Amino acid sequence: MVKVSAPGKIHLIGEHAVVYGEPAILAAVGKRLFVEAEKHDAVKYVDLRWETDSKEWAVEDVLESTDRVLELWSHGTQTKDFSPLFNHIKADRYAGYRKAVVGIVMKKLGIKGGVKLAINCEFPTSAGLGSSSALSVAVVTAISELYEKQLSLSQINELSYDLEKIIHGTPSGGDNTASCYGGLIWFQKSSPQNVMMPLKEEISSMPEGFVLVNTREEKSSTGELIQKVRLLEESYRAPRIKEISKLVYEMKVALKSKKYDLMKDIINRDQQLLKELEVSTDEIDSIAEAVRKIGGAAKLCGAGGGGIMLCWHKDKDLLKRTISQLGYEPWETQLGVEGVRIEK
Ligand code: MEV
């Protein structure tokens, strides 16, 4: 049996713009997703976040179903409409997605046998913390370890990106990269290969005072939110994406030179731009406003539409009190933790 874990992630800045080839800064967070894998003659899958009983499919069924998912993904890239793919993978409690997650890895690595997978996670799903990317990275690592494929981190990341595409349509690849390599990273989608730079040398320390908040709203999926932004008029979307990009470069300088007042203004401006891209919610806006009023900064994280927010104030206790008074639970976690690893 192999046990693997991969961390969740937050975007310090650059979500959505990163889908259009602009850079983003991401950090792996101190909560992890776990995958246990064993060899098996069929494909057995249980996600303990949702259920206690497993589903089991024959290997041929998994491979056929994977072909169908890949066809729908190709159709989505041609038509720029991934709704048929999203509807397909959601059906029957995500059976199409689950089969394809395993099927793509088996096909790409030339694995003929089956696998038994059990998934568990320390952080909430659909909250902007990258649970699907942590799942992709951990499943690829677990199955490749089990079948002794000896993949490099870069190969794991590349294959995880293929899994991310079937659930998000056209993701940037930033989420899986942060979960795979860990730490604080600079990421840019690029061809033929995405760019990843660890920021450990340039940004030796992060300020104190970051707190996460989960608005726990019922939200659309990342793929649907990416599609929503893509459907905005290009003349409206493009200048906002460009401005977010400019803020990402400014953020790196602010963090490097420890200019935290500047960092604060950048975060607040970024939130305003994400709101204009229509991925914020009333709850996020009111939390952001309350944090700004006490002299701090707050923004949504990841695709938006509810879920995790990143808040900062130089007086962390005041920030936590403010968040609690609004009726939310402030959540402190480490930023920049280790990426994917085999658990002993
Ligand atoms: C999702 O966590 C972040 C987005 O920028 C999508 C992506 O990078 O693939 C919205």
Side-chain angles (χ1 to χ4, degrees), residues 9 11 14-16 18-19 170-175 222 226 302-303:
K9 62 81 211 172
H11 281 78
E15 53 271 87
H16 285 290
V18 71
V19 172
T170 56
S172 63
D175 294 10
T222 297
I226 293 175

Side-chain angles (χ1 to χ4, degrees), residues 186-248:
W186 177 270
F187 175 84
Q188 195 158 15
K189 184 175 174 177
S190 178
S191 184
Q193 249 197 323
N194 293 340
V195 173
M196 192 287 290
M197 266 177 359
L199 291 174
K200 207 164 64 197
E201 307 278 296
E202 278 185 87
I203 300 166
S204 53
S205 66
M206 289 285 282
E208 284 291 304
F210 280 111
V211 170
L212 303 181
V213 185
N214 189 359
T215 67
R216 296 179 192 277
E217 289 160 273
E218 194 55 47
K219 69 195 282 274
S220 308
S221 72
T222 297
E224 285 159 346
L225 288 155
I226 293 175
Q227 185 154 295
K228 181 175 179 191
V229 174
R230 197 179 286 289
L231 291 175
L232 294 171
E233 271 303 317
E234 160 132 44
S235 58
Y236 177 84
R237 184 188 66 228
R240 287 165 178 84
I241 294 291
K242 272 286 161 221
E243 193 180 340
I244 293 178
S245 170
K246 197 166 143 264
L247 293 177
V248 177

Side-chain angles (χ1 to χ4, degrees), residues 233 280 292:
E233 271 303 317
S280 192
R292 276 198 307 273

Side-chain angles (χ1 to χ4, degrees), residues 286-305:
S286 64
I287 296 171
E289 194 187 335
V291 173
R292 276 198 307 273
K293 267 199 184 134
I294 58 160
K299 65 176 275 288
L300 64 84
C301 266

